[in-house]
Amino acid sequence: MIRRALNNYECFKTCRDVDDNLENSKMAKGTLPVDMELRKAFQELQTKMINTTQQIKLSNAQIDTLKRTVQHSKLVDQEITSLPPSTRTYEGVGRMFILQSIPDIQKNLQLKVKASEDKMKSLETNKSYLERNLKESQDNLRELIVSKQQSR
């Protein structure tokens, strides 16, 4: 949670820094001409940051949900393991319960854990891609600002 807040703060701090650089370049020039290329790049970055931040938050929420699912499945598996083999066990399917053998329930739980872990891995990969892509966009905008300031 704290990590997400710091990432959001860094993203908005970068936008603010870019905006401050634009203002400083205007003041240094003594006039208020707006470089449309910089403004457009800044607006695109801001839009991209908002969308990426939302996607990262969604990924984090999905990962948290999957972690709880894995933890729950492992806990249920531990509890089922401690039962005697002759115990009648039921598995919930939608709004009903079906009589299942203990090995069948354990197999289903293991499949559920594996699927959840695979989904978490893909979400983590997607999240790191989004963060890397956002960082590259920020760096490109900074380079554009520096090149514009040097050309003046």
Side-chain angles (χ1 to χ4, degrees):
M1 185 71 168
I2 294 172
R3 183 173 158 224
R4 278 187 253 154
L6 288 175
N7 286 341
N8 289 344
Y9 172 74
E10 289 171 3
C11 289
F12 291 113
K13 182 179 175 220
T14 302
C15 277
R16 193 182 71 228
D17 291 345
V18 169
D19 196 31
D20 290 345
N21 285 342
L22 284 172
E23 292 299 321
N24 290 340
S25 66
K26 290 176 194 173
M27 288 180 190
K29 189 85 169 164
T31 62
L32 293 176
V34 177
D35 190 344
M36 294 309 286
E37 184 180 6
L38 282 176
R39 180 170 291 282
K40 182 179 177 189
F42 176 68
Q43 288 173 342
E44 287 174 2
L45 177 66
Q46 208 169 21
T47 304
K48 189 173 196 173
M49 285 178 68
I50 290 169
N51 291 337
T52 303
T53 303
Q54 288 173 347
Q55 288 176 337
I56 289 172
K57 284 181 183 179
L58 180 63
S59 293
N60 285 333
Q62 289 174 339
I63 289 169
D64 290 343
T65 302
L66 290 169
K67 282 181 182 177
R68 280 192 296 277
T69 301
V70 167
Q71 184 180 15
H72 180 264
S73 295
K74 287 181 179 179
L75 194 65
V76 169
D77 188 37
Q78 287 176 356
E79 291 297 320
I80 287 177
T81 305
S82 67
L83 295 174
S86 62
T87 305
R88 295 177 63 135
T89 53
Y90 295 87
E91 185 173 18
V93 179
R95 293 166 60 177
M96 65 181 175
F97 295 94
I98 298 177
L99 180 64
Q100 295 277 353
S101 66
I102 291 176
D104 287 342
I105 291 177
Q106 287 176 326
K107 184 181 81 173
N108 290 342
L109 288 171
Q110 289 171 355
L111 290 173
K112 192 177 195 181
V113 166
K114 184 170 178 7
S116 294
E117 287 174 345
D118 290 345
K119 181 71 174 170
M120 281 191 306
K121 186 177 178 182
S122 69
L123 286 170
E124 287 288 346
T125 303
N126 186 38
K127 190 173 96 170
S128 66
Y129 166 76
L130 289 171
E131 290 170 345
R132 193 172 50 250
N133 193 4
L134 182 62
K135 178 81 170 128
E136 288 174 5
S137 296
Q138 291 171 347
D139 292 342
N140 289 342
L141 184 60
R142 284 191 184 110
E143 288 175 15
L144 180 63
I145 291 171
V146 168
S147 69
K148 290 288 183 178
Q149 287 176 346
Q150 288 176 352
S151 68
R152 289 183 181 174

